[in-house]
Amino acid sequence: MGQDDSSICVHLSSSQENVKDKLRAIVVTLSYNLQTPRLRRQAPGQGLPAVTPILNAHQSSTQRAEIHFLKQGCGEDKVCQSNLQLVRARFCARVSDSEFQPLPMDADGTTALFALSGQPVIGLELTVTNLPSDPAQPQADGDDAHEAQLLVTLPASLHYSGVRALDPAEKPLCMSNENASHVECELGNPMKRGAQVTFYLILSTSGITIETTELEVELLLATISEQELHPISVRARVFIELPLSIAGVAVPQQLFFSGVVRGESAMKSERDIGSKVKYEVTVSNQGQSLNTLGSAFLNIMWPHEIANGKWLLYPMRVELEGGQGPRRKGLCSPRPNILHLDVDSRDRRRRELEQPKQEEHPEHLEPSTSWWPVSSAEKKKNITLDCARGTANCVVFSCPLYSFDRAAVLHVWGRLWNSTFLEEYSAVKSLEVTVRANITMKSSIKNLVLRDASTVIPVMVYLDPVAVVAEGVPWWVILLAVLAGLLVLALLVLLMWKMGFFKRARYPEATVPQYHAVKIPREDRQQFKEEKTGTILRNNWGSPRREGPDAHPILAADGHPEPGSDGHPMSSTA
């Protein structure tokens, strides 16, 4: 600067793009000082050096200035008072990439019900608006919301996976931290007055375990505009719906009993008991693999005795394939074959020689258990032996399902106790023996739900037809049948006799007309005369003819009728 009072202006320019904060002013600070001159050594005899200028100690050497942005959309007072509202926040099931279906709500209407059955992700529908709180006074609030954001805090069981929007133009920019537990979504800078945005947060359910009972997500809207905002929580109750289905089959489905009554002490081998039957119960997992922590059990209610305590179905062997890990066979309790009967050597040798794939084929049974046809009339007369009805007593075989991917199969081999059926049900046409199987959970967790977790396996039991023929029919039954047949025959004959069935039909004799013939000599016949004279005589149509019931033709000498004058045979009366 010069020594006069003139001033010099220096123009400084600066530009910055993507400025987010447009409400706060840009502060410019200017400070000044004097540059101290470099002192030189004075030579002897020189005068005093020039006096250097100094700054006024009572005046600040720093100047501060603020540069304000043009606040559009903030009302006449240039103060932005926004009204951000989270009008909708609910959990949804993902149907397709951009289609979502809201989850059902509980009785209070505030908590969603989420069933974990093979759903890898869940959607969180969010709708944010910036509208005036009072339409009658639109200038009170609802101004542009600068740096509008939605802050999402997720529980440990949920992880951020992505964001979807019905309109791609409204899709916000969402960023998460390293463990995907905190998400920040930018709603707009600014989010204009009257704006509304709807989008879906895609959350992974890989962190949900069998112990998870509730999902809670905390939501907080944020803006640098003037507005007081509070966090909002969205909750969902979790039902662990195990996608397990159970089905069973019996081989064969019809059994027969026969033989003689034998006591329990006389049984040495399983062949002494009766007909053989095999049950197969299959448990299928239709969803993602879940670790049940040993709390899932496959149970089969085996009717081992009838209501009076006599043997019904004797269990020989119980085996579970799958459910215990790869290539492991599980142990079920209690142990079968409590009488320690000898296993059929043929079955044992067959099981040793068969390959694993061949074990799935039905076993061959005795001839009397497969060929006899059962009529529909016999099926109508049925007695059901079922533990649920109290007509049989069951022992429950329980097999733990530690882990399995797709399927587990329970095999149960048993024998029909012939002696009990011969003593108790020999006069019964048919019986139905019911075996039940289900899946239970032994755990303190109360939110487990099983679908299709039970099945019923019926088997029909009949008296062997060979035994029926051997017993024969009592003599008095035969006598009554013969007498009844004779009585029916006599009544039928009497009825036909009363109706005239045995009367013979008679017809009147036919009346035959009588003729008297007269022999005419050959010479008197007209034909002879015509042959002799060569003249053909014409009929005399005018001559009367005599006809009547007693008229008869006149015969010539050779026996032929003699023609008259008209050419017709002549007739005469008797």
Side-chain angles (χ1 to χ4, degrees), residues 16-328:
Q16 183 179 357
E17 297 180 357
N18 300 326
V19 178
K20 293 185 176 181
D21 190 353
K22 297 181 180 180
L23 293 183
R24 300 182 180 91
I26 298 178
V27 178
V28 178
T29 303
L30 175 63
S31 62
Y32 57 91
N33 56 11
L34 294 177
Q35 185 177 2
T36 304
R38 185 176 182 182
L39 297 179
R40 297 180 180 180
R41 182 180 298 178
Q42 289 183 338
Q46 289 184 352
L48 294 176
V51 179
T52 58
I54 61 173
L55 295 177
N56 188 359
H58 300 284
Q59 184 179 359
S60 176
S61 61
T62 302
Q63 298 294 328
R64 184 176 181 272
E66 293 183 355
I67 302 175
H68 295 274
F69 288 93
L70 181 61
K71 298 179 180 179
Q72 296 179 352
C74 292
E76 297 178 357
D77 55 358
K78 302 303 179 180
V79 177
C80 289
Q81 297 177 349
S82 62
N83 186 33
L84 293 179
Q85 297 293 331
L86 186 61
V87 296
R88 179 178 298 170
R90 60 183 179 180
F91 287 100
C92 300
R94 188 176 185 181
V95 180
S96 63
D97 183 66
S98 59
E99 183 179 358
F100 298 84
Q101 183 177 0
L103 294 181
M105 307 297 289
D106 59 358
D108 59 7
T110 58
T111 305
L113 302 177
F114 174 67
L116 181 62
S117 57
Q119 300 185 30
V121 295
I122 185 175
L124 181 59
E125 182 181 2
L126 301 170
T127 301
V128 181
T129 61
N130 186 22
L131 303 174
S133 58
D134 187 3
Q137 298 179 356
Q139 301 300 327
D141 55 9
D143 297 334
D144 291 355
H146 290 263
E147 294 190 39
Q149 289 182 330
L150 177 62
L151 309 179
V152 183
T153 303
L154 301 176
S157 55
L158 295 177
H159 304 284
Y160 172 74
S161 179
V163 60
R164 296 291 185 274
L166 299 180
D167 186 2
E170 297 181 356
K171 182 179 179 180
L173 177 62
C174 297
M175 303 294 292
S176 65
N177 57 354
E178 294 182 358
N179 57 2
S181 62
H182 187 78
V183 184
E184 295 183 359
C185 295
E186 297 183 359
L187 304 179
N189 188 23
M191 185 174 181
K192 296 292 186 179
R193 170 190 289 268
Q196 175 177 332
V197 58
T198 300
F199 59 97
Y200 298 87
L201 291 181
I202 310 300
L203 307 178
S204 174
T205 61
S206 59
I208 298 180
T209 64
I210 200 171
E211 304 290 340
T212 306
T213 59
E214 187 181 44
L215 301 176
E216 183 177 359
V217 178
E218 184 178 300
L219 305 172
L220 177 61
L221 289 171
T223 179
I224 61 175
S225 299
E226 292 188 3
Q227 183 181 356
E228 186 177 358
L229 297 169
H230 302 281
I232 300 175
S233 296
V234 183
R235 295 180 177 87
R237 284 198 302 165
V238 179
F239 286 90
I240 308 298
E241 185 178 15
L242 300 181
L244 304 179
S245 62
I246 183 173
V249 64
V251 181
Q253 298 181 356
Q254 296 179 3
L255 297 177
F256 297 86
F257 62 91
S258 62
V260 296
V261 178
R262 303 177 63 180
E264 181 179 306
S265 59
M267 302 296 178
K268 303 299 181 183
S269 174
E270 66 169 305
R271 293 175 59 94
D272 301 334
I273 301 176
S275 301
K276 178 170 49 179
V277 62
K278 178 184 178 182
Y279 290 87
E280 292 186 358
V281 180
T282 303
V283 181
S284 302
N285 183 10
Q286 301 174 356
Q288 63 182 1
S289 180
L290 296 177
N291 186 8
T292 61
L293 303 178
S295 58
F297 289 84
L298 174 59
N299 308 308
I300 181 168
M301 279 68 76
W302 184 268
H304 69 294
E305 60 183 19
I306 59 177
N308 60 7
K310 294 184 179 181
W311 281 106
L312 175 57
L313 281 180
Y314 182 78
M316 287 298 304
R317 189 161 60 98
V318 180
E319 184 178 290
L320 177 64
E321 292 184 1
Q324 310 292 323
R327 298 183 181 180
R328 292 179 58 187

Side-chain angles (χ1 to χ4, degrees), residues 501-519:
F501 180 78
F502 299 104
K503 290 183 179 181
R504 189 172 182 180
R506 296 182 180 181
Y507 301 96
E509 295 182 358
T511 302
V512 181
Q514 301 293 330
Y515 296 96
H516 298 278
V518 178
K519 186 175 182 181

Side-chain angles (χ1 to χ4, degrees), residues 367-385:
S368 62
T369 62
S370 59
W371 66 275
W372 180 255
V374 180
S375 63
S376 59
E378 292 177 342
K379 292 182 180 179
K380 294 180 181 179
K381 300 178 180 180
N382 183 32
I383 293 179
T384 302
L385 300 177

